[in-house]
């Protein structure tokens, strides 16, 4: 059984299934057997040649090692207008549906916007909130709308609020990730299993099954 690292910016030697974040504006040179998600990050929207990136996206998306879109999403803390971000995000949703590849979402103070957008677009693909840090109430709201949750290294800070959220998420909606940290995904699994009062093997198995079901892989 392998660890599943749902989102990483730095592929490691760890014996794991890693979904590597591939920014659209960077050259795409896939390594054999590696898995990628194509990212048009809201932080990058005003820094990149958007048309060029969007053109490439359609082509890259057909690559068999590209199994997801994201991270993409909405961020209320940056200066790029939310309307601009939402227009780009809508394109990413359309591509995700067209290519049948799940969406990995960056969300900063935009959970209610995401619920609104998800309701109006009724996607078939899974929407996974990466680096999830919402509280219990937010988690319950998001669960009503069928979101998935990926917890990152911030879980290791042992914030009681975040642990409460972790305990709120059903096992079939759960993922873990290292994001841009140097942490091992194994460390996050071990800590989460302890909080969830299950064995690490069980958690590993359940997350692997989630990965298999959503990405039709493994
Ligand atoms: Zn990231």
């Amino acid at each position: 059984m392998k660890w599943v690292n749902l989102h990483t910016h730095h592929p490691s030697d760890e014996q794991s299934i890693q979904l590597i974040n591939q920014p659209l504006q960077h050259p795409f040179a896939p390594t054999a057997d590696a898995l990628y998600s194509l990212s048009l990050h809201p932080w990058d929207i005003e820094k990149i040649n958007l048309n060029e990136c969007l053109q490439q996206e359609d082509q890259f998306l057909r690559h068999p090692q590209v199994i997801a879109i994201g991270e993409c999403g909405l961020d209320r803390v940056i200066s790029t207008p939310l309307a601009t971000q939402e227009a780009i995000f809508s394109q990413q949703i359309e591509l995700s549906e067209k290519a049948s590849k799940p969406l990995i979402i960056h969300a900063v103070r935009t959970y209610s916007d995401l619920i609104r957008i998800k309701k109006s677009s009724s996607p078939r693909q899974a929407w996974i909130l990466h680096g999830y840090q919402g509280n219990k109430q937010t988690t319950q709201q998001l669960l009503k709308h069928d979101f998935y949750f990926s917890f990152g290294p911030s879980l290791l800070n042992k914030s009681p609020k975040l642990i409460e959220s972790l305990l709120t998420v059903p096992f079939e909606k759960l993922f873990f990730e290292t994001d841009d940290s140097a942490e091992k995904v194994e460390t996050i699994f071990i800590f989460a299993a302890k909080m969830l009062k299950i064995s690490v093997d069980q958690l590993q198995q359940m997350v692997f099954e989630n990965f298999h079901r959503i990405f039709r892989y493994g």
Side-chain angles (χ1 to χ4, degrees):
M1 186 58 54
K2 281 184 170 178
W3 310 103
V4 174
N5 187 351
L6 197 271
H7 176 82
T8 178
H9 294 250
H10 314 289
S12 76
D13 310 335
E14 211 175 2
Q15 276 300 308
S16 62
I17 296 169
Q18 306 170 44
L19 194 39
I20 302 162
N21 189 77
Q22 168 67 36
L24 261 179
Q25 68 273 27
H26 293 176
F28 182 42
T31 313
D33 298 330
L35 299 172
Y36 298 87
S37 66
L38 282 184
S39 169
L40 211 171
H41 200 291
W43 295 352
D44 295 333
I45 289 174
E46 288 176 336
K47 294 183 197 154
I48 59 175
N49 183 333
L50 205 54
N51 282 337
E52 198 179 285
C53 282
L54 288 169
Q55 266 166 26
Q56 279 178 348
E57 187 169 21
D58 208 29
Q59 178 200 333
F60 287 165
L61 209 51
R62 286 182 218 136
H63 196 285
Q65 284 168 265
V66 172
I67 63 164
I69 297 186
E71 58 185 294
C72 55
L74 303 173
D75 191 321
R76 227 177 250 285
V77 172
I78 58 172
S79 61
T80 307
L82 204 65
T84 309
Q85 296 185 43
E86 196 172 322
I88 305 292
F89 184 52
S90 296
Q91 286 175 307
Q92 305 302 297
I93 296 168
E94 250 176 67
L95 285 171
S96 148
E97 291 296 303
K98 205 170 86 181
S100 295
K101 297 185 180 182
L103 213 52
I104 295 173
I105 301 173
H106 167 99
V108 177
R109 294 195 208 156
T110 49
Y111 293 129
S112 54
D113 302 276
L114 288 170
I115 289 175
R116 168 179 53 81
I117 296 167
K118 195 165 195 277
K119 268 163 97 177
S120 68
S121 52
S122 5
R124 288 172 296 114
Q125 293 307 306
W127 285 24
I128 308 158
L129 296 162
H130 108 85
Y132 185 65
Q133 301 207 42
N135 64 24
K136 186 182 174 178
Q137 286 74 19
T138 305
T139 309
Q140 286 168 332
Q141 280 300 109
L142 291 161
L143 277 169
K144 283 185 199 153
H145 299 280
D146 210 27
F147 281 87
Y148 288 76
F149 302 82
S150 178
F151 290 84
S154 61
L155 199 58
L156 303 174
N157 298 337
K158 303 180 182 169
S159 138
K161 266 190 177 173
L162 195 56
I163 291 167
E164 206 183 11
S165 291
L166 172 71
L167 301 182
T168 306
V169 176
F171 291 125
E172 66 270 18
K173 290 286 167 73
L174 208 49
F175 287 103
F176 300 98
E177 63 177 58
T178 56
D179 201 2
D180 58 0
S181 78
E183 200 58 72
K184 283 180 162 186
V185 81
E186 186 179 338
T187 310
I188 303 172
F189 268 85
I190 291 169
F191 178 74
K194 200 173 148 197
M195 294 302 109
L196 292 162
K197 298 190 169 64
I198 58 170
S199 74
V200 177
D201 285 354
Q202 277 175 306
L203 188 58
Q204 203 181 19
Q205 175 76 38
M206 285 188 287
V207 172
F208 181 80
E209 280 167 16
N210 292 345
F211 190 77
H212 178 73
R213 191 175 68 251
I214 292 171
F215 295 93
R216 295 172 294 277
Y217 173 88

